[in-house]
Amino acid sequence: MLRAFADLGATDTTCFVGQWPYRLSAAADVEGLHGHADRLGLRSLWVSHLASLFGFDTRTGNEAVLAACADDPLFRVFATIDPRDPSWQDELDDAASAGAVGVRVAPGFHRYEVAEVRQVIDACVERGLALQLIARLDDARVRHPLSPAVDVEVHRIADLVRRSPPHPLLLSGLNRADWLELNRHLGDAAPEWLRLDLWHVNGPTRVADRLGDDPERWAFGSAFPVQTPEATALQLAASALSPAALSAITSGNAAAMLA
């Protein structure tokens, strides 16, 4: 089944370089990311640095991931931005000049109100950069007690979407129930430019089959190395999704966000 998934040539929209602080085995360098891509037949990885979530600043991790990945055609670097930093716009410009094609924000890690992401969206619109919002990277039920992370409330995300201009936005770490709640908050009329990754949408094969109801909404994302990617890959490979739906979910929707 992994070979069947590899034949799809997917884009992984949620990857990281660096060390997850709470599990020794959850780490990846550039070589490890290439191994991840080879194992799953991935053609492109969207990557940022875990140090930008846990360090004293975001710039150090951004500079490290750009130095390691920006010249490698496998990678699309997403700079992590914290809008509380007075110099975040300068940091964003530096990252874009160095090759970043998108931005990640993580209000649940950096502990600020989701509404503050709006100014980052405006900056991304001006610069033609896609935006990814990390809603969670691990399950709160097994989160390390020293972790600073909190799950972002779905209704706060809905408020942000409602007040934002049309611009590519990928939500990472929501599950199917979260998506249904988010769509209800949006009056069952979520904008077409809003998409979600899949690493937290796991379960029986029939869960993946339901993605066929709205295949334009989803993009493959593994949260590697924080999460094990095979669960999501196998779920898609074993699903009854049409070839067109699989193509959209594994690569087409991600490509549209960077177009």
Side-chain angles (χ1 to χ4, degrees):
M1 277 201 249
L2 275 181
R3 284 197 297 272
F5 180 83
D7 289 342
L8 297 171
T11 291
D12 191 337
T13 60
T14 313
C15 284
F16 298 88
V17 66
Q19 173 71 56
W20 183 250
Y22 313 112
R23 198 165 64 252
L24 186 61
S25 61
D29 54 14
V30 169
E31 183 179 355
L33 289 177
H34 271 279
H36 167 59
D38 290 343
R39 189 167 61 255
L40 296 183
L42 305 172
R43 294 181 183 175
S44 180
L45 308 182
W46 295 7
V47 59
S48 58
H49 207 298
L50 286 169
S52 292
L53 298 180
F54 296 100
F56 286 106
D57 63 6
T58 54
R59 181 179 287 274
T60 302
N62 288 335
E63 290 177 347
V65 71
L66 284 160
C69 298
D71 294 329
D72 190 320
L74 176 65
F75 302 122
R76 303 293 181 268
V77 174
F78 274 56
T80 303
I81 294 297
D82 182 350
R84 299 172 305 164
D85 188 329
S87 63
W88 71 266
Q89 294 201 49
D90 292 335
E91 183 178 352
L92 177 55
D93 287 333
D94 291 343
S97 297
V101 301
V103 171
R104 284 179 178 163
V105 290
F109 282 86
H110 293 143
R111 295 296 190 95
Y112 57 82
E113 293 295 328
V114 178
E116 294 190 44
V117 175
R118 172 58 200 273
Q119 60 187 316
V120 183
I121 293 177
D122 290 341
C124 288
V125 170
E126 293 174 5
R127 294 160 176 82
L129 300 171
L131 181 69
Q132 183 175 19
L133 188 152
I134 305 296
R136 65 167 70 89
L137 273 178
D138 57 355
D139 192 318
R141 295 169 295 182
V142 294
R143 185 168 294 150
H144 194 282
L146 295 181
S147 173
V150 295
D151 289 355
V152 177
E153 295 176 299
V154 172
H155 71 93
R156 303 290 185 194
I157 298 175
D159 288 342
L160 174 69
V161 171
R162 195 179 295 112
R163 296 167 183 169
S164 295
H167 188 72
L169 174 61
L170 178 66
L171 304 178
S172 179
L174 298 185
N175 57 34
R176 185 77 186 188
D178 293 328
W179 161 239
L180 294 174
E181 179 184 350
L182 175 63
N183 202 29
R184 284 195 297 270
H185 281 297
L186 294 171
D188 293 323
E192 56 86 21
W193 42 265
L194 178 68
R195 294 184 173 91
L196 298 86
D197 75 4
L198 281 175
W199 75 259
H200 201 42
V201 186
N202 288 320
T205 302
R206 291 185 181 275
V207 173
D209 291 347
R210 289 295 307 275
L211 302 177
D213 296 341
D214 47 1
E216 74 288 344
R217 190 65 64 186
W218 304 93
F220 176 72
S222 70
F224 179 82
V226 183
Q227 301 295 334
T228 301
E230 285 79 5
T232 306
L234 289 171
Q235 183 173 267
L236 289 171
S239 73
L241 292 168
S242 70
L246 277 173
S247 178
I249 292 166
T250 56
S251 61
N253 295 334
M257 290 190 67
L258 298 184

